[in-house]
Coordinates of all heavy atoms in Angstrom, one line a residue:
D1 N 0.8 -1.2 0.0 CA 0.0 0.0 0.0 C 0.8 1.2 0.0 O 0.7 2.2 0.8 CB -0.9 0.0 1.2 CG -2.1 1.1 1.1 OD1 -2.3 1.5 0.0 OD2 -2.6 1.5 2.1
I2 N 1.8 1.3 -0.9 CA 2.7 2.4 -1.1 C 2.3 3.1 -2.4 O 2.4 2.5 -3.5 CB 4.2 2.1 -1.1 CG1 4.6 1.4 0.2 CG2 5.1 3.3 -1.3 CD1 6.0 0.9 0.2
P3 N 2.0 4.4 -2.4 CA 1.5 5.1 -3.6 C 2.7 5.5 -4.5 O 3.2 6.6 -4.4 CB 0.8 6.3 -3.1 CG 1.5 6.6 -1.8 CD 1.9 5.3 -1.2
L4 N 3.1 4.6 -5.4 CA 4.2 4.9 -6.3 C 3.6 5.3 -7.7 O 2.6 4.7 -8.1 CB 5.0 3.6 -6.5 CG 6.0 3.1 -5.4 CD1 6.7 1.9 -5.8 CD2 7.0 4.2 -5.1
P5 N 4.2 6.3 -8.3 CA 3.8 6.7 -9.6 C 4.3 5.7 -10.7 O 5.5 5.8 -11.2 CB 4.5 8.0 -9.8 CG 5.7 8.0 -8.9 CD 5.3 7.1 -7.8
Q6 N 3.5 4.6 -10.9 CA 4.0 3.5 -11.8 C 4.4 3.9 -13.2 O 5.3 3.4 -13.8 CB 3.0 2.4 -11.8 CG 2.9 1.7 -10.4 CD 1.9 0.5 -10.5 OE1 0.8 0.6 -11.1 NE2 2.2 -0.6 -9.9
S7 N 3.6 4.9 -13.8 CA 3.8 5.2 -15.2 C 5.2 5.8 -15.5 O 5.9 5.2 -16.4 CB 2.7 6.1 -15.6 OG 1.4 5.5 -15.6
P8 N 5.6 6.8 -14.8 CA 6.9 7.3 -15.1 C 8.1 6.3 -14.7 O 9.1 6.2 -15.4 CB 7.0 8.6 -14.2 CG 6.0 8.5 -13.2 CD 4.9 7.7 -13.8
L9 N 7.8 5.6 -13.6 CA 8.8 4.6 -13.2 C 9.0 3.5 -14.3 O 10.1 3.2 -14.7 CB 8.5 4.0 -11.9 CG 8.5 4.9 -10.7 CD1 8.1 4.2 -9.4 CD2 9.9 5.5 -10.5
L10 N 7.9 2.9 -14.8 CA 7.9 1.9 -15.9 C 8.5 2.6 -17.1 O 9.2 1.8 -17.9 CB 6.6 1.4 -16.1 CG 6.0 0.5 -14.9 CD1 4.6 0.0 -15.3 CD2 6.9 -0.7 -14.7
G11 N 8.2 3.8 -17.4 CA 8.8 4.5 -18.6 C 10.4 4.5 -18.5 O 11.0 4.3 -19.5
I12 N 10.8 4.9 -17.3 CA 12.2 5.0 -17.1 C 12.9 3.6 -17.3 O 13.9 3.4 -18.0 CB 12.6 5.6 -15.7 CG1 12.1 7.0 -15.7 CG2 14.1 5.5 -15.4 CD1 12.2 7.6 -14.3
I13 N 12.2 2.6 -16.7 CA 12.8 1.2 -16.8 C 12.7 0.8 -18.3 O 13.7 0.1 -18.8 CB 11.9 0.3 -16.0 CG1 12.1 0.6 -14.5 CG2 12.3 -1.2 -16.2 CD1 11.2 -0.1 -13.6
G14 N 11.7 1.1 -19.0 CA 11.6 0.8 -20.4 C 12.7 1.4 -21.3 O 13.3 0.7 -22.1
V15 N 13.0 2.7 -21.0 CA 14.1 3.4 -21.7 C 15.4 2.7 -21.4 O 16.3 2.5 -22.3 CB 14.1 4.8 -21.4 CG1 15.3 5.6 -22.0 CG2 12.9 5.5 -22.0
A16 N 15.6 2.4 -20.1 CA 16.9 1.8 -19.7 C 17.0 0.4 -20.3 O 18.1 0.0 -20.7 CB 16.9 1.7 -18.2
A17 N 16.0 -0.4 -20.4 CA 16.0 -1.7 -21.0 C 16.4 -1.6 -22.5 O 17.1 -2.4 -23.0 CB 14.7 -2.4 -20.8
L18 N 15.7 -0.6 -23.2 CA 16.0 -0.5 -24.6 C 17.4 0.0 -24.9 O 18.1 -0.6 -25.7 CB 15.1 0.6 -25.2 CG 15.3 1.0 -26.7 CD1 15.1 -0.2 -27.6 CD2 14.4 2.2 -27.1
F19 N 17.9 0.9 -24.0 CA 19.3 1.3 -24.1 C 20.3 0.1 -23.8 O 21.3 -0.1 -24.6 CB 19.6 2.4 -23.1 CG 21.0 2.8 -23.0 CD1 21.6 3.7 -24.0 CD2 21.9 2.3 -22.0 CE1 22.9 4.0 -23.9 CE2 23.2 2.7 -21.9 CZ 23.7 3.6 -22.9
N20 N 19.9 -0.7 -22.8 CA 20.8 -1.9 -22.5 C 20.8 -2.9 -23.6 O 21.8 -3.5 -23.9 CB 20.3 -2.5 -21.2 CG 21.3 -3.3 -20.5 OD1 22.5 -2.9 -20.4 ND2 21.0 -4.6 -20.0
G21 N 19.7 -3.1 -24.3 CA 19.6 -4.0 -25.4 C 20.5 -3.5 -26.6 O 21.2 -4.4 -27.2
L22 N 20.5 -2.2 -26.8 CA 21.3 -1.7 -27.9 C 22.8 -1.9 -27.6 O 23.6 -2.2 -28.4 CB 21.0 -0.2 -28.1 CG 19.6 0.1 -28.7 CD1 19.3 1.6 -28.7 CD2 19.5 -0.5 -30.1
V23 N 23.1 -1.6 -26.3 CA 24.5 -1.8 -25.9 C 25.0 -3.3 -26.0 O 26.0 -3.6 -26.5 CB 24.7 -1.3 -24.4 CG1 26.1 -1.6 -23.9 CG2 24.5 0.2 -24.3
Q24 N 24.1 -4.2 -25.6 CA 24.4 -5.6 -25.7 C 24.6 -6.0 -27.1 O 25.5 -6.8 -27.5 CB 23.3 -6.4 -25.0 CG 23.6 -7.9 -25.0 CD 22.6 -8.7 -24.2 OE1 21.4 -8.4 -24.4 NE2 23.0 -9.6 -23.4
W25 N 23.8 -5.5 -28.1 CA 23.9 -5.8 -29.5 C 25.2 -5.3 -30.0 O 25.9 -6.0 -30.8 CB 22.8 -5.2 -30.3 CG 22.9 -5.3 -31.8 CD1 22.6 -6.5 -32.5 CD2 23.4 -4.3 -32.7 NE1 22.9 -6.2 -33.8 CE2 23.3 -4.9 -33.9 CE3 23.8 -3.0 -32.5 CZ2 23.8 -4.3 -35.1 CZ3 24.2 -2.3 -33.7 CH2 24.1 -2.9 -34.9
R26 N 25.7 -4.1 -29.6 CA 26.9 -3.6 -30.1 C 28.1 -4.4 -29.5 O 29.1 -4.6 -30.2 CB 27.0 -2.1 -29.6 CG 28.4 -1.5 -30.1 CD 28.8 -0.3 -29.1 NE 30.2 0.0 -29.4 CZ 31.2 -0.5 -28.9 NH1 31.1 -1.5 -28.0 NH2 32.5 -0.2 -29.2
L27 N 28.0 -4.8 -28.2 CA 29.1 -5.5 -27.6 C 29.4 -6.9 -28.3 O 30.5 -7.4 -28.3 CB 28.9 -5.6 -26.2 CG 29.0 -4.4 -25.3 CD1 28.7 -4.6 -23.8 CD2 30.3 -3.7 -25.5
R28 N 28.3 -7.5 -28.8 CA 28.4 -8.8 -29.5 C 29.3 -8.6 -30.7 O 29.9 -9.6 -31.1 CB 27.1 -9.3 -29.8 CG 26.3 -9.8 -28.7 CD 24.9 -10.3 -29.1 NE 24.1 -10.8 -28.0 CZ 22.8 -11.2 -28.1 NH1 22.2 -11.1 -29.2 NH2 22.2 -11.7 -27.0
Q29 N 29.3 -7.5 -31.4 CA 30.1 -7.3 -32.5 C 31.4 -6.7 -32.3 O 32.3 -6.6 -33.2 CB 29.3 -6.4 -33.5 CG 27.9 -6.9 -33.9 CD 27.2 -6.0 -34.8 OE1 27.6 -4.9 -35.0 NE2 26.0 -6.5 -35.3
A30 N 31.7 -6.2 -31.0 CA 32.9 -5.5 -30.7 C 34.0 -6.5 -30.4 O 33.8 -7.6 -29.9 CB 32.7 -4.5 -29.5
S31 N 35.2 -6.1 -30.7 CA 36.4 -6.9 -30.3 C 37.2 -6.2 -29.3 O 38.2 -6.8 -28.8 CB 37.3 -7.1 -31.6 OG 37.7 -5.9 -32.1
S32 N 36.9 -5.0 -28.8 CA 37.6 -4.3 -27.8 C 36.7 -3.1 -27.3 O 35.7 -2.9 -27.9 CB 39.0 -3.7 -28.4 OG 39.7 -3.1 -27.3
A33 N 37.2 -2.5 -26.2 CA 36.5 -1.4 -25.6 C 37.4 -0.5 -24.9 O 38.5 -0.9 -24.6 CB 35.3 -1.9 -24.7
T34 N 37.0 0.7 -24.6 CA 37.8 1.6 -23.9 C 37.3 1.9 -22.5 O 36.2 1.6 -22.2 CB 38.0 3.0 -24.7 OG1 36.7 3.6 -24.8 CG2 38.4 2.7 -26.1
S35 N 38.1 2.5 -21.7 CA 37.7 2.9 -20.4 C 36.6 4.0 -20.5 O 35.8 4.1 -19.6 CB 38.9 3.4 -19.6 OG 39.5 4.5 -20.1
H36 N 36.6 4.8 -21.5 CA 35.6 5.9 -21.6 C 34.2 5.3 -21.9 O 33.2 5.9 -21.4 CB 35.9 6.8 -22.8 CG 37.2 7.6 -22.6 ND1 37.3 8.5 -21.7 CD2 38.4 7.4 -23.2 CE1 38.6 9.0 -21.7 NE2 39.2 8.3 -22.7
E37 N 34.1 4.2 -22.6 CA 32.8 3.5 -22.7 C 32.3 3.0 -21.4 O 31.1 3.1 -21.1 CB 33.0 2.4 -23.8 CG 33.3 2.8 -25.2 CD 33.4 1.7 -26.1 OE1 32.4 1.2 -26.7 OE2 34.5 1.2 -26.4
L38 N 33.2 2.4 -20.6 CA 32.7 1.9 -19.3 C 32.3 3.0 -18.4 O 31.3 2.9 -17.7 CB 33.9 1.1 -18.7 CG 33.6 0.4 -17.4 CD1 32.3 -0.5 -17.5 CD2 34.8 -0.4 -16.9
L39 N 33.0 4.1 -18.5 CA 32.7 5.3 -17.7 C 31.3 5.8 -18.1 O 30.5 6.1 -17.2 CB 33.8 6.4 -17.9 CG 33.4 7.8 -17.3 CD1 33.3 7.7 -15.8 CD2 34.5 8.8 -17.8
S40 N 31.0 5.9 -19.4 CA 29.7 6.4 -19.8 C 28.6 5.4 -19.4 O 27.5 5.9 -19.0 CB 29.7 6.5 -21.4 OG 29.9 5.3 -22.0
Q41 N 28.9 4.1 -19.4 CA 27.8 3.2 -18.9 C 27.5 3.4 -17.4 O 26.4 3.3 -17.0 CB 28.3 1.8 -19.2 CG 28.4 1.4 -20.7 CD 27.0 1.5 -21.4 OE1 26.0 1.0 -20.9 NE2 27.0 2.2 -22.5

């Protein structure tokens, strides 16, 4: 019985999941990475 604003929270989670999927797709094709990429993540 905690009044959470579900719509914006689920929207943030959806954007984060979409972003994580794109990153995972890119990493499957990558052969190396830099510290700047890890910093940005």
Side-chain angles (χ1 to χ4, degrees):
D1 193 21
I2 298 177
L4 287 177
Q6 291 182 318
S7 297
L9 293 178
L10 292 176
I12 295 170
I13 294 173
V15 172
L18 178 60
F19 175 79
N20 203 44
L22 293 174
V23 173
Q24 187 175 41
W25 175 78
R26 181 209 167 273
L27 292 179
R28 287 178 179 174
Q29 302 176 352
S31 58
S32 181
T34 65
S35 62
H36 298 292
E37 292 180 85
L38 184 57
L39 170 62
S40 64
Q41 294 297 315

